[in-house]
Amino acid sequence: MTKKKIDIRDYAGEIIKAMRPGILLTTKVGDKVNSMTIGWGTLGIIWERPIFVAYVRHQRYTREMLDKCREFTINVPVGEYRRKILGICGSKSGRDMDKIEVAGLTPVDPEVINTPGIKELPLTLECRVLYSQEQESYKFNDEITRQFYTMETGDHFCYYGEIVSAYIIED
């Protein structure tokens, strides 16, 4: 497999559009690799660095892994892909199963960090966490609170990941 290096500015629109149906956030701790479907994220420049900000709910296994490894990959579909991947990775917990195996995903060795890309969603951003912060729901306006937050769902943790490598995995 080869990796075609990309400038994220050339793919920003595609990355943002892909978030609506979902993209994957992948983490790795030891030998355990876990992918989670996300639909919220921010792509931009902070501290003069390219950044992807990922939002992960407190109760997610992915949050536990991110707090340990402090890095992640963002995996974005390019062209056709199996939509069941997003369903499995968005509805099952890595605490209970190996989602990589169940979803039929192929981890691909990273370039800079230790967390792999995913062949089936080949546009890959390797990110190293520079900062994380818990959202404080009392600061949301009432409309946002009513629409997106309940006592059961809780708030999100925000992970600001510096994009240290960006590429498309090719056969």
Side-chain angles (χ1 to χ4, degrees):
M1 260 174 255
T2 62
K3 297 175 186 148
K4 180 178 95 176
K5 297 292 273 180
I6 61 169
D7 183 328
I8 60 166
R9 294 172 295 190
D10 296 335
Y11 290 85
E14 290 177 53
I15 295 166
I16 299 299
K17 272 189 221 172
M19 270 193 263
R20 181 70 174 145
I23 60 179
L24 294 183
L25 182 150
T26 301
T27 56
K28 180 180 180 188
V29 173
D31 292 334
K32 175 80 172 177
V33 177
N34 185 60
S35 290
M36 179 182 98
T37 302
I38 63 171
W40 293 4
T42 304
L43 186 63
I45 305 296
I46 303 175
W47 307 300
E48 298 179 354
R49 301 169 191 216
I51 300 285
F52 188 93
V53 182
Y55 300 86
V56 180
R57 290 203 190 271
H58 288 274
Q59 68 270 28
R60 301 285 188 227
Y61 181 59
T62 299
R63 187 186 76 83
E64 291 176 31
M65 292 185 75
L66 277 167
D67 287 345
K68 291 177 184 171
C69 69
R70 307 297 289 170
E71 64 182 35
F72 58 92
T73 57
I74 294 298
N75 319 112
V76 181
V78 174
E80 293 298 315
Y81 67 101
R82 297 185 323 269
R83 296 197 187 283
K84 75 172 193 167
I85 292 170
L86 298 177
I88 292 167
C89 293
S91 65
K92 308 293 182 194
S93 174
R95 281 188 195 98
D96 305 325
M97 66 169 40
D98 182 344
K99 289 194 280 185
I100 300 298
E101 181 180 330
V102 171
L105 301 178
T106 310
V108 175
D109 289 339
E111 292 188 333
V112 178
I113 64 175
N114 293 313
T115 299
I118 300 295
K119 177 184 173 190
E120 291 74 16
L121 283 80
L123 196 159
T124 304
L125 308 177
E126 293 186 16
C127 302
R128 185 173 291 129
V129 175
L130 297 177
Y131 176 74
S132 59
Q133 177 178 350
E134 180 177 7
Q135 289 183 318
E136 299 171 325
S137 60
Y138 72 91
K139 293 182 179 179
F140 296 138
N141 72 29
D142 291 340
E143 179 185 347
I144 296 297
T145 301
R146 278 192 307 277
Q147 187 173 358
F148 296 105
Y149 296 93
T150 66
M151 293 298 281
E152 292 80 38
T153 61
D155 301 337
H156 287 86
F157 233 82
C158 307
Y159 293 91
Y160 293 67
E162 178 183 7
I163 301 167
V164 295
S165 186
Y167 49 86
I168 296 175
I169 300 165
E170 300 176 323
D171 284 324

